[in-house]
Amino acid sequence: MLYLNPNTTNTLTVTWTERSSTGDRYILRLTSIAKNTTTDFTLLKSANLSNYTNRYDKFQIALGSLETGSYKYEVYDTNSTVASALAVVETGLAFVQTATIGFNTYSNSINYTIYGASDEGVFDLTFDSTFA
């Protein structure tokens, strides 16, 4: 599943090279599940930011003002358009949401009880103290 934020640059870490062919670009097609509308994003293979492309790929993508919600996605390996795609590299679900990051803080107080000191006993009155 892809988690994306609108109106910002997103970093995608994926494994598309494993299934790609000889095309020079990927086309990421997002289809809104609610409205059945599609939006295509072109990512050149030469823009791969990964230092280890045999293991993973890393791309940056700006979604612009894409509407928040759930999408299904397809990634095509191509030299030009989806119609002339050489392979479908990956399919799945994407979620576009404005991320809010919040931090919860809690106050904590620790009370220590020391057993065996003064009148605080570890054992109850039925314990045979000669056994210890």
Side-chain angles (χ1 to χ4, degrees):
M1 178 170 277
L2 299 178
Y3 293 97
L4 304 168
N5 294 312
N7 299 314
T8 187
T9 300
N10 295 271
T11 300
L12 293 176
T13 304
V14 292
T15 56
W16 296 342
T17 298
E18 292 177 350
R19 298 181 131 188
S20 67
S21 186
T22 58
D24 65 351
R25 69 194 72 200
Y26 297 112
I27 295 181
L28 170 64
R29 173 169 282 179
L30 295 174
T31 304
S32 171
I33 292 174
K35 296 185 176 182
N36 200 29
T37 56
T38 61
T39 306
D40 291 345
F41 298 93
T42 301
L43 302 164
L44 295 176
K45 289 183 180 179
S46 60
N48 192 344
L49 301 173
S50 171
N51 292 325
Y52 306 100
T53 56
N54 289 335
R55 297 197 48 120
Y56 70 95
D57 304 304
K58 185 187 272 187
F59 296 98
Q60 289 192 331
I61 182 172
L63 297 182
S65 61
L66 190 66
E67 187 175 356
T68 59
S70 298
Y71 291 80
K72 63 180 182 177
Y73 73 89
E74 299 92 22
V75 178
Y76 299 93
D77 183 8
T78 185
N79 286 315
S80 57
T81 64
V82 170
S84 64
L86 303 168
V88 176
V89 177
E90 185 174 279
T91 62
L93 295 175
F95 192 66
V96 177
Q97 178 181 346
T98 304
T100 56
I101 299 174
F103 298 99
N104 296 328
T105 58
Y106 300 97
S107 60
N108 190 14
S109 61
I110 300 173
N111 296 324
Y112 295 100
T113 302
I114 301 172
Y115 292 100
S118 69
D119 63 344
E120 189 77 37
V122 176
F123 304 105
D124 64 12
L125 298 176
T126 62
F127 182 74
D128 182 4
S129 61
T130 59
F131 181 71

